[in-house]
């Protein structure tokens, strides 16, 4: 079996296993890779690593100030650690005793202004649909509150929100602040995902002709894939309400049988879709729907955190079996594994708090390569790159693969 064939097969297995909602697709990939490490490590580490959280969590945009005076990573770098917040207005906010969190989770330049849970609902004898329940942080009350919306994205700063009432939807709702009236914008084509631009002036909607979250009910641990229904994307300019639809054909080699939503590039000039076959993990398009080269090395990693705010480091797959996540110094090309710290095995990078710290998913370590209570029992941690302690940001998810037992944070710039 070739690398491409293995990647494609593995991606389809992941899709059939859980029809993972976009925000935790990378986590599922990482965890599956650990389960099958002895069989596929050498190939998957270099070719697939983990599937990026492509469909929703690109809002983990990190626009932080750089922490000056830190040494570049080297092969002899000490264990990862927490570095104090350089800006008091960016103090770490954590709820280490709750899962899902009740109060805000934030660190450095990013905050989880929303999170979702999911469940499968049977809709016919052989079909089911995955439905997400979204919770949004209420700054006035200081807690997360459940919303009635089928899809949600919160703009940088945490005040404005865009949402869909159903999947798919023929209009998108926009709230510019607490207590504001909903602004409705009609869509030319139905959409099943919405995402704010980095400057919060535009919306990017992924258009589908059918519900991408429908699937056949698995039989004998296998699942028949549904026809791909994505038809393109729509960009809405919130200044004048004008929307433009662009047709983008589905790449048959992308490796996704269900959702493959579009995300914004960091500067908002391009959009991207996930691609499962290395070395290209993202395919980019201009706002006319024309293919364009990737603007940065971020397209070469499946790690959700991607490029650091200052553009000097990249979260990648670990170069050896001592870890899952590695940090690549882009000036030297050297990659250092994020090895266990403070009794935690790091399973997945989530977002950069700043150039020196990462938000990650991690489990309590048991032995050399095992997790207390299983690898699905994990929590959010804030870890640094220069040795020391790790700070818990949330309680433990007891099972991130089972409905009603999982929650997935969506990080956005503060």
């Amino acid at each position: 079996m070739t690398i491409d064939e293995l990647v494609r097969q593995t991606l389809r297995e992941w899709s059939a296993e859980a029809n993972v909602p976009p925000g935790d697709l990378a986590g599922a990939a990482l965890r599956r890779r650990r389960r099958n490490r002895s069989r596929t490590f050498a190939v998957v580490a270099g070719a697939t690593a983990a599937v990026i959280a492509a469909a929703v969590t690109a809002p983990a945009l990190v626009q932080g100030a750089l922490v000056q005076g830190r040494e570049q990573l080297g092969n002899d770098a000490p264990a990862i650690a927490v570095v104090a917040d350089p800006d008091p207005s960016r103090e770490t906010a954590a709820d280490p005793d709750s899962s899902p969190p009740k109060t805000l989770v934030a660190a450095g330049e990013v905050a989880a202004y929303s999170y979702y849970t999911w469940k499968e609902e049977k809709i016919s004898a052989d079909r089911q649909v995955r439905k997400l329940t979204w919770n949004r942080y209420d700054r006035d009350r200081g807690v997360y509150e459940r919303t009635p919306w089928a899809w949600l994205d919160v703009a940088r700063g945490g005040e404005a929100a865009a949402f869909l009432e159903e999947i798919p939807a023929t209009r998108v709702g926009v709230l510019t602040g607490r207590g504001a009236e909903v602004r409705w914008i009609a869509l030319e084509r139905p959409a099943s995902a919405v995402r704010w631009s980095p400057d919060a002036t535009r919306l990017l909607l992924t258009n589908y002709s059918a519900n991408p979250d429908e699937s056949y009910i698995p039989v004998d641990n296998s699942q028949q894939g549904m026809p791909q229904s994505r038809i393109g994307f729509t960009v809405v300019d919130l200044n004048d309400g004008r929307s433009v639809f662009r047709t983008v054909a589905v790449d048959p080699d992308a490796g996704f049988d269900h959702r493959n939503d579009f995300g914004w590039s960091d500067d908002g000039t391009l959009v991207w879709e996930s691609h499962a076959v290395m070395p290209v993990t993202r395919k980019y398009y201009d706002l006319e729907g024309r293919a364009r080269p990737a603007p940065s090395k971020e397209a070469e990693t499946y790690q959700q955190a991607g490029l650091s705010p200052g553009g000097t480091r990249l979260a990648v797959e670990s170069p050896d079996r001592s870890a899952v996540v590695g940090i690549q110094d882009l000036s030297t090309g050297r990659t250092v594994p994020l090895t266990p710290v403070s009794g935690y095995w790091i399973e997945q990078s989530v977002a950069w708090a700043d150039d020196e710290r990462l938000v990650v998913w991690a489990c309590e370590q048991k032995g050399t390569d095992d997790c207390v209570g299983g690898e699905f029992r994990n929590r959010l941690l804030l870890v640094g790159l220069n040795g020391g302690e790790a700070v818990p940001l949330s309680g433990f998810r007891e099972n991130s693969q089972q409905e009603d037992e999982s929650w997935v944070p969506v990080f956005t710039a503060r």
Side-chain angles (χ1 to χ4, degrees), residues 211-407:
N211 190 336
D213 298 325
E214 283 191 21
S215 62
Y216 288 102
I217 297 174
V219 177
D220 297 328
N221 295 320
S222 64
Q223 183 170 334
Q224 177 184 352
M226 299 288 289
Q228 177 58 259
S229 61
R230 199 196 71 191
I231 55 178
F233 66 84
T234 296
V235 174
V236 177
D237 187 328
L238 293 176
N239 291 322
D240 58 16
R242 181 172 175 264
S243 64
V244 178
F245 169 76
R246 302 298 182 192
T247 300
V248 178
V250 174
D251 184 348
D253 295 322
F256 293 87
D257 291 331
H258 303 286
R259 277 189 178 272
N260 193 0
D261 299 339
F262 289 97
W264 290 99
S265 63
D266 285 348
D267 64 2
T269 62
L270 302 173
V271 301
W272 57 266
E273 64 175 341
S274 287
H275 195 261
V277 182
M278 291 289 282
V280 180
T281 68
R282 293 182 177 185
K283 294 181 66 176
Y284 284 82
Y285 303 87
D286 63 22
L287 300 188
E288 300 297 318
R290 298 171 296 203
R292 288 290 182 261
S296 72
K297 289 182 70 64
E298 191 170 12
E300 298 176 13
T301 176
Y302 285 104
Q303 282 295 323
Q304 184 177 335
L307 196 65
S308 67
T312 60
R313 292 166 176 167
L314 187 69
V316 297
E317 184 75 358
S318 172
D320 59 45
R321 297 182 63 174
S322 66
V324 172
V325 182
I327 300 299
Q328 184 179 81
D329 183 337
L330 295 182
S331 65
T332 65
R334 181 179 297 171
T335 299
V336 177
L338 290 185
T339 53
V341 59
S342 300
Y344 288 99
W345 172 272
I346 298 173
E347 296 181 301
Q348 176 190 351
S349 70
V350 178
W352 288 91
D354 50 48
D355 265 14
E356 297 293 329
R357 300 176 300 166
L358 272 172
V359 177
V360 301
W361 282 112
C363 63
E364 290 178 300
Q365 193 173 23
K366 176 184 178 182
T368 304
D369 184 15
D370 200 0
C371 295
V372 176
E375 59 194 286
F376 296 119
R377 183 178 183 270
N378 52 21
R379 74 193 312 175
L380 288 175
L381 291 182
L382 176 64
V383 297
L385 306 180
N386 291 317
E389 297 287 328
V391 174
L393 298 178
S394 74
F396 285 96
R397 297 193 300 189
E398 294 300 327
N399 193 328
S400 60
Q401 294 290 82
Q402 296 296 323
E403 62 182 62
D404 297 328
E405 295 183 9
S406 176
W407 59 277

Side-chain angles (χ1 to χ4, degrees), residues 171-195:
R171 64 179 185 172
V172 58
V174 179
L175 283 168
T176 56
R178 303 294 174 178
E181 291 188 6
V182 177
R183 176 185 179 188
W184 294 105
I185 300 172
L187 302 172
E188 178 184 344
R189 307 292 178 91
S192 296
V194 59
R195 193 171 297 167

